[in-house]
Amino acid sequence: IMKDLVLPTVDGMAKRGCPFTGVLFAGIMVVDGKPMLLEHNVRFGDPECEALMLRYQGDLVEVLMRAADGELDKLDDDQVSGPNAWNSGTAMTVVLAANGYPGSYAKGTRIAGLSEAEQTTPPDGCVKIFHAGTSEGAAPGEFAANGGRVLAVTAMRDNVRDAAASAYEAVGKVQWDD
């Protein structure tokens, strides 16, 4: 995937005088056993990022600082792509979106139960809720919806089936009327 899909993009940008430094996500779909590139993305706000961040075990701040300073070559491969940098588990993200998204949607709807949802942690994994379109709610521990993609409930387990089951179990504990 790197050789056939990602590196040609990075090399092409450099040849055009626009070298890329940062985090480049590749949206890939496998069709008939062959990976196909759908899109590139450079933002940390998309659901793909939450699943990756849960699996990354390296020092993200150091990697980003080195990238900003043009010093990625000073990082050990193990800090970025080696077996110690990534958890071998499978991460799955379920996005909770406001009713009506991507069109018009209500803001300010109450969200509660996030602490309970995050405690859905199985012995062989974890659950993490990432906030995307939220603001503080009226009571401590409560939040209000303030965007289209509101929460990303992400679970990590040994396989896709168990990760999905844990993510949806946590979603079931979120109290949100929207």
Side-chain angles (χ1 to χ4, degrees):
I1 290 175
M2 287 295 291
K3 179 178 70 92
D4 295 334
L5 301 177
V6 177
L7 291 178
T9 300
V10 174
D11 291 343
M13 292 172 73
K15 285 179 186 173
R16 291 182 177 180
C18 301
F20 180 80
T21 300
V23 179
L24 182 66
F25 291 100
I28 297 172
M29 179 181 291
V30 178
V31 178
D32 296 328
K34 182 179 179 190
M36 308 291 285
L37 179 66
L38 299 177
E39 65 176 354
H40 285 298
N41 198 323
V42 296
R43 298 177 297 162
F44 274 97
D46 285 343
E48 299 90 347
C49 182
E50 283 82 357
L52 291 173
M53 291 300 95
L54 199 57
R55 291 189 57 233
Y56 186 64
Q57 300 176 135
D59 185 343
L60 182 61
V61 172
E62 180 179 1
V63 172
L64 294 175
M65 292 298 293
R66 295 280 186 168
D69 293 339
E71 298 177 346
L72 284 174
D73 59 330
K74 294 183 180 176
L75 289 172
D76 293 331
D77 286 344
D78 197 46
Q79 291 176 279
V80 180
S81 60
N84 293 326
W86 295 93
N87 184 296
S88 63
T90 299
M92 164 88 55
T93 298
V94 177
V95 175
L96 300 184
N99 190 21
Y101 176 80
S104 60
Y105 49 86
K107 292 184 180 181
T109 54
R110 180 185 162 273
I111 303 170
L114 299 184
S115 293
E116 294 80 5
E118 238 179 24
Q119 292 172 7
T120 309
T121 302
D124 67 336
C126 64
V127 173
K128 178 71 179 162
I129 298 177
F130 295 91
H131 292 249
T134 62
S135 59
E136 289 187 45
E142 286 187 2
F143 296 89
N146 196 36
R149 287 187 280 189
V150 177
L151 298 168
V153 179
T154 305
M156 188 165 56
R157 299 283 304 274
D158 289 335
N159 58 62
V160 172
R161 183 188 39 145
D162 291 345
S166 291
Y168 280 105
E169 181 182 351
V171 165
K173 294 179 180 181
V174 174
Q175 300 162 19
W176 182 28
D177 293 335
D178 201 15

